[in-house]
Amino acid sequence: MKELSSASAPRGSRVCTRGIPSPVNESILLIEDDGRIREIVERGLRARGFRVASAADGVSGVALARTGSFDLVLLDLVLPDAHGLVVLRALRALEARMPVVALTALDDMDAKVQGLDAGVDDYVTKPFSIEELAARIRARLRWRDESVLSAGALTLDLAAHRATLDGREVSLAAREVSLLATFLRHPGRVLTREQLLLLVWEMDFDPGSNVVDVYVAALRRKLGSGVIETVRGVGYRVGARAVAA
């Protein structure tokens, strides 16, 4: 399927047909009030093998979710009839394990933070490329198939956003889940701040950023100080207490 021309794309969007993977036939629900963005996303994702249904507002989107079986939702956090987080709660009530990727404006940092804390699995900042969006979708769909991670006494339920250690259950924010999952996927390995920024936040290394330290501290407060160890001068790893059989 031919992509829209750059003249048809929203300012700042980058549409590319190179490197399109084989068809995947996964079903995506797009809830987005901007008609031009809807059209470009629909065409771009269909060209990459996804099936796409779309809605222009929250009520229509939730109604579509009730009538169909979707593998992932793309949700604009600013909708004409309802706040995106209200729509998110309605979607979660229908299917708790369905991944939700939020679409946010570049300067809408508050919406990003609220969305992640409310249970959004990931976000993509407008303007975005179809390649980036498709890659984020594929990554989240892989996570969907990997519902539980564990190392020793520590278990992480990715869909429920809940960790269990020594029989104690703790609810986690979405980004805390992403960070802990990254550690559990690399048991015993020391991960640098640079690696964690790339793996969890998909950010280039910023020596002035303390976001990794802030989220590590949050996990320690919730799960205990021994869950994540600091390796001085290098980075962090899952602690011996967490992985002990």
Side-chain angles (χ1 to χ4, degrees):
M1 182 182 293
K2 186 177 180 181
E3 292 271 8
L4 292 178
S5 68
S6 59
S8 301
R11 184 177 180 182
S13 295
R14 303 179 301 280
V15 179
C16 175
T17 60
R18 293 180 298 172
I20 297 176
S22 301
V24 292
N25 203 36
E26 302 282 6
S27 183
I28 308 299
L29 172 58
L30 169 65
I31 306 176
E32 165 64 62
D33 67 313
D34 189 309
R36 296 176 70 198
I37 293 178
R38 276 203 316 276
E39 182 182 10
I40 287 174
V41 171
E42 286 178 8
R43 291 194 181 190
L45 293 183
R46 286 170 182 160
R48 288 157 177 81
F50 294 99
R51 291 178 289 121
V52 184
S54 66
D57 55 59
V59 171
S60 301
V62 173
L64 264 178
R66 287 196 181 100
T67 61
S69 178
F70 296 96
D71 298 292
L72 180 142
V73 177
L74 297 174
L75 174 63
D76 185 5
L77 291 183
V78 181
L79 294 166
D81 62 336
H83 194 286
L85 299 186
V86 174
V87 178
L88 172 66
R89 286 194 289 271
L91 293 170
R92 288 286 188 229
L94 292 173
E95 176 52 71
R97 292 182 177 271
M98 181 166 55
V100 177
V101 176
L103 307 178
T104 66
L106 181 62
D107 58 352
D108 199 0
M109 183 56 69
D110 288 342
K112 292 178 184 177
V113 172
Q114 291 173 13
L116 289 170
D117 287 342
V120 166
D121 296 284
D122 200 359
Y123 67 83
V124 177
T125 301
K126 302 175 184 176
F128 52 80
S129 71
I130 295 298
E131 289 294 342
E132 176 194 4
L133 181 61
R136 294 289 185 97
I137 291 172
R138 289 191 294 268
R140 290 299 144 182
L141 290 175
R142 287 194 297 270
W143 273 52
R144 174 203 59 184
D145 297 330
E146 185 182 28
S147 59
V148 176
L149 296 172
S150 62
L154 177 62
T155 300
L156 175 63
D157 186 325
L158 295 168
H161 289 201
R162 183 175 60 242
T164 303
L165 179 62
D166 296 332
R168 182 172 63 95
E169 293 187 352
V170 178
S171 295
L172 301 176
R175 196 60 68 172
E176 293 167 352
V177 171
S178 298
L179 179 59
L180 184 57
T182 300
F183 283 118
L184 292 178
R185 290 190 179 100
H186 302 86
R189 178 178 169 186
V190 180
L191 298 172
T192 67
R193 289 175 177 83
E194 180 177 5
Q195 290 171 322
L196 291 168
L197 279 173
L198 182 60
L199 291 169
V200 180
W201 285 268
E202 299 186 12
M203 294 168 50
D204 292 331
F205 182 59
D206 177 2
S209 174
N210 69 339
V211 65
V212 172
D213 308 272
V214 169
Y215 275 86
V216 166
L219 286 177
R220 285 170 169 167
R221 283 195 300 272
K222 291 184 175 183
L223 293 170
S225 58
V227 171
I228 300 175
E229 295 178 342
T230 300
V231 179
R232 190 175 300 277
V234 184
Y236 298 104
R237 67 184 173 198
V238 176
R241 173 175 172 267
V243 300

